[in-house]
């Protein structure tokens, strides 16, 4: 009896442009979903940029105009609707856009607001009773303007299923790669990330504001080497004292430096690394859940299941079934 490869699902993605848009913001979802059409066996993407007045030139913050050939009617058939940004003053959105967003959401499309693109989603009522994020500088404005929205100022992105929001520009890339990972798996998402020269995967709960990048100085270079060393073997305890000694720092200085560089604590960062490695093993190998737990540094399958449930709201087995199957309906 012959086996047949299940046909890939085609996802229609509508990316909304507007007059005064930052072209880099617009390019983020187009690059992630439009640059790897032949790479993914389980899904293909039809990306269309649309605007309220199709065919009318739209000004950009870069000093040149663009023209979207598709109108908001495109949202009526889209599987995923992405608003890649919004005006920096967070002004009210036109009624036609709000109505199109509501209708797309009501019929089951996934609606995504990147950076301040979350504001029209909030204005349309799609974030009421949900947790959402936006650019950290606009978080207070969102909280004051939309009290029914639970605004998380710290995270990179929030996935509420049919509604997804992200923080600033870099977080928008993380969010789109997260969505691509859900549809095509880790290998494809990592491949696209390498093409874009960005980190393959950052947890949505990671802090969005990092005081300064690294490395900058000689001590920063040692610090980066310590992080790389930890990532090579997550099965060890990796206590703060051991890491500080390896970085040639005092415990207090290392702890302060770590939070400045990563935006989180040593414990949380290490947990995120272990979760990311466990997810990769579940997606790309057939090893048992017990072995995944050991190789990722959780020690036991019970510990792995507890952390998966607390962080990802699923079990390792359910996660493996989801991400190793064809693209979900």
């Amino acid at each position: 009896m012959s086996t047949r490869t299940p046909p890939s699902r085609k996802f229609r993605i509508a990316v909304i442009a507007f007059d005064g848009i930052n072209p880099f913001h617009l390019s983020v979802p187009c690059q992630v979903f439009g640059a790897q059409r032949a790479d993914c066996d389980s899904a293909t993407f039809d990306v269309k940029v649309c605007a309220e007045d199709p065919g009318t030139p739209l000004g950009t913050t870069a000093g040149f105009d663009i023209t979207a050939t598709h109108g908001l009617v495109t949202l009526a058939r889209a599987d995923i609707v992405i608003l890649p940004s919004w005006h920096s003053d967070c002004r009210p959105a036109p009624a036609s856009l709000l109505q199109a967003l509501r209708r797309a959401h009501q019929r089951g499309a996934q609606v995504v607001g990147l950076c301040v693109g979350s504001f029209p989603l909030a204005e349309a009522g799609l974030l009421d009773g949900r947790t959402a994020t936006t650019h950290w500088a606009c978080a207070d404005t969102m909280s004051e303007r939309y009290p029914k929205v639970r605004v998380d100022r710290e995270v990179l992105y929030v996935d509420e299923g049919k509604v997804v929001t992200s923080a600033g520009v870099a977080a928008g890339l993380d969010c789109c790669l997260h969505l691509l990972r859900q549809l095509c798996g880790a290998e494809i998402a990592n491949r696209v990330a390498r093409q874009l020269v960005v980190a393959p995967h950052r947890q949505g709960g990671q802090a969005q504001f990092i005081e300064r990048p690294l490395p900058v100085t000689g001590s920063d270079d040692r610090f980066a080497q310590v992080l790389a060393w930890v990532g090579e073997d997550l099965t060890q305890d990796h206590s703060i004292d051991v890491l500080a000694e390896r970085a040639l720092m005092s415990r207090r200085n290392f702890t302060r430096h770590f939070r400045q560089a990563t935006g989180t604590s040593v414990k949380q960062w290490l947990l995120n690394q272990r979760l990311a490695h466990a997810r990769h093993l579940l997606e790309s190998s057939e090893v048992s859940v017990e072995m995944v737990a050991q190789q990722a540094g959780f020690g036991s399958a019970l510990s792995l299941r507890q952390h998966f449930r607390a962080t990802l709201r699923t079990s390792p087995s359910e996660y493996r079934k989801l991400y190793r199957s064809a693209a979900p309906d």
Side-chain angles (χ1 to χ4, degrees):
M1 194 165 93
S2 62
T3 58
R4 297 189 339 182
T5 301
S8 63
R9 182 180 174 190
K10 186 174 184 177
F11 288 87
R12 296 179 292 264
I13 300 181
V15 181
I16 303 170
F18 54 89
D19 189 53
I21 194 170
N22 182 313
F24 183 79
H25 290 170
L26 179 61
S27 74
V28 167
C30 297
Q31 283 290 319
V32 171
F33 294 104
Q36 50 75 54
R37 285 171 284 272
D39 290 351
C40 184
D41 294 331
S42 59
T44 58
F45 302 99
D46 178 18
V47 181
K48 287 184 169 61
V49 176
C50 55
E52 186 177 19
D53 297 313
T56 301
L58 303 172
T60 71
T61 59
F64 57 82
D65 293 348
I66 60 173
T67 302
T69 57
H70 303 281
L72 295 182
V73 67
T74 305
L75 276 62
R77 297 182 67 248
D79 301 297
I80 303 173
V81 175
I82 302 177
L83 188 56
S85 185
W86 191 238
H87 300 279
S88 58
D89 58 4
C90 305
R91 70 188 64 172
S96 58
L97 174 58
L98 297 177
Q99 186 68 0
L101 290 171
R102 293 189 189 106
R103 286 176 175 171
H105 178 259
Q106 288 169 0
R107 65 172 181 76
Q110 187 175 44
V111 182
V112 182
L114 305 180
C115 195
V116 289
S118 55
F119 273 79
L121 272 61
E123 187 179 358
L126 306 188
L127 302 182
D128 288 355
R130 301 178 186 269
T131 300
T133 192
T134 188
H135 192 288
W136 61 269
C138 302
D140 288 342
T141 301
M142 175 169 279
S143 291
E144 294 167 2
R145 192 179 296 180
Y146 306 108
K148 294 182 180 179
V149 181
R150 297 188 296 270
V151 180
D152 192 334
R153 295 163 171 77
E154 304 298 327
V155 299
L156 294 176
Y157 53 86
V158 176
D159 186 345
E160 287 269 356
K162 286 299 182 181
V163 180
V164 183
T165 53
S166 86
V169 180
L173 268 170
D174 291 313
C175 183
C176 288
L177 287 169
H178 163 72
L179 297 174
L180 183 65
R181 183 187 182 100
Q182 289 184 324
L183 299 174
C184 293
E187 291 301 321
I188 298 301
N190 291 348
R191 191 180 308 167
V192 173
R194 286 194 297 270
Q195 293 170 354
L196 298 175
V197 198
V198 296
H201 177 71
R202 292 202 294 172
Q203 293 277 89
Q206 186 169 327
Q208 62 172 278
F209 181 72
I210 297 176
E211 186 172 335
R212 61 188 176 93
L214 96 155
V216 177
T217 67
S219 61
D220 285 333
D221 186 52
R222 287 196 304 273
F223 184 82
Q225 291 175 16
V226 169
L227 297 191
W229 174 73
V230 171
E232 291 173 359
D233 185 1
L234 295 168
T235 64
Q236 300 299 315
D237 179 51
H238 295 306
S239 68
I240 295 178
D241 289 330
V242 170
L243 298 181
E245 181 180 357
R246 192 174 184 90
L248 304 180
M249 296 179 181
S250 67
R251 178 188 174 97
R252 180 177 180 181
N253 189 34
F254 178 82
T255 302
R256 177 183 59 81
H257 195 91
F258 194 97
R259 184 168 288 280
Q260 287 178 337
T262 67
T264 188
S265 67
V266 175
K267 181 180 179 180
Q268 187 60 50
W269 181 85
L270 188 56
L271 174 60
N272 289 343
Q273 299 305 302
R274 286 172 169 154
L275 282 170
H277 187 50
R279 292 166 70 173
H280 174 71
L281 291 173
L282 290 168
E283 294 170 9
S284 61
S285 74
E286 299 290 347
V287 298
S288 67
V289 172
E290 184 69 40
M291 185 61 68
V292 168
Q294 293 178 14
Q295 293 183 12
F298 287 99
S300 69
L302 176 60
S303 177
L304 176 64
R305 292 188 184 100
Q306 290 174 338
H307 284 293
F308 253 66
R309 183 63 63 183
T311 306
L312 304 174
R313 303 175 195 172
T314 188
S315 70
S317 297
E318 291 169 345
Y319 182 89
R320 170 173 271 167
K321 289 178 182 178
L322 174 64
Y323 285 95
R324 304 218 41 203
S325 63
D329 289 336

